[in-house]
Amino acid sequence: MGDTGTYARLPQSVLFCCDHNSVRSPMAEGIMKKLYGKRCYVQSVGVKNDMEIDGFAITVCAEIGVEVSRHRSRSFDEMEQWGDDLSSFDLVLALSPASQRRALDLTQFFHLDVEYWPIIDPTGMGDSREARLALYRQARDQIHDRLVARFGPATDDPSA
């Protein structure tokens, strides 16, 4: 929410990015789709595509009714090969320092907004299953809270 008490206008298209497109960016993509439905085109990518969707990410998203189990990880390079032009996105939300650097490199010739949202990387942390789930929930909730703070409460009709 800005100083005027209003939320930013929802862009027509958003690209989330992180390191591997296996935890933070797919969670963000799924949460944004749940919150705002079809009012905004949403995709996600990673700097690298060397991992599949993380099981803990699937679990904590399912807890809030967000389906990410069918997500297929892809990189910036694959996105371009598959015909998704980076310049077609209105906003890139980078969730890791490496993805922010890559997004800024790729967008230097486009008029495109890139924002960095420092979301914790829960992978490899926690001594037990419950400790790991707690860290993944923290990342999930950080993403949710940032989205609501930026674009407002969820749309009543997610198909809108």
Side-chain angles (χ1 to χ4, degrees):
M1 199 162 34
D3 295 337
T4 61
T6 60
Y7 298 102
R9 186 179 70 77
L10 194 65
Q12 289 185 358
S13 58
V14 172
L15 180 67
F16 290 99
C17 55
C18 66
D19 295 341
H20 302 278
N21 194 221
S22 64
V23 178
R24 291 170 287 181
S25 57
M27 287 198 306
E29 177 184 347
I31 293 167
M32 185 158 190
K33 286 177 178 176
K34 177 156 176 83
L35 288 173
Y36 307 110
K38 297 178 181 170
R39 293 177 39 217
C40 180
Y41 177 72
V42 182
Q43 289 293 308
S44 64
V45 297
V47 174
K48 297 182 256 179
N49 172 18
D50 57 353
M51 303 173 80
E52 289 301 319
I53 185 75
D54 185 286
F56 287 109
I58 293 169
T59 299
V60 300
C61 283
E63 292 173 350
I64 62 168
V66 172
E67 168 60 47
V68 296
S69 66
R70 293 181 302 219
H71 177 80
R72 296 296 166 251
S73 298
R74 66 182 183 159
S75 67
F76 279 103
D77 294 337
E78 289 169 323
M79 181 187 81
E80 290 179 295
Q81 290 169 4
W82 296 345
D84 260 339
D85 186 1
L86 196 60
S87 66
S88 66
F89 290 93
D90 297 319
L91 177 62
V92 177
L93 294 172
L95 308 177
S96 71
S99 66
Q100 179 193 27
R101 284 189 300 277
R102 181 68 193 270
L104 289 171
D105 286 346
L106 292 171
T107 61
Q108 63 184 332
F109 303 110
F110 302 116
H111 177 68
L112 181 63
D113 291 330
V114 176
E115 290 181 20
Y116 173 55
W117 290 5
I119 304 297
I120 66 159
D121 180 1
T123 58
M125 297 170 50
D127 295 337
S128 67
R129 176 173 165 66
E130 280 309 311
R132 286 185 178 184
L133 283 170
L135 290 163
Y136 277 75
R137 288 180 187 116
Q138 183 180 350
R140 175 201 66 198
D141 294 345
Q142 282 182 332
I143 292 165
H144 178 275
D145 294 348
R146 290 292 301 253
L147 286 168
V148 171
R150 177 89 156 70
F151 301 117
T155 302
D156 291 335
D157 179 6
S159 66

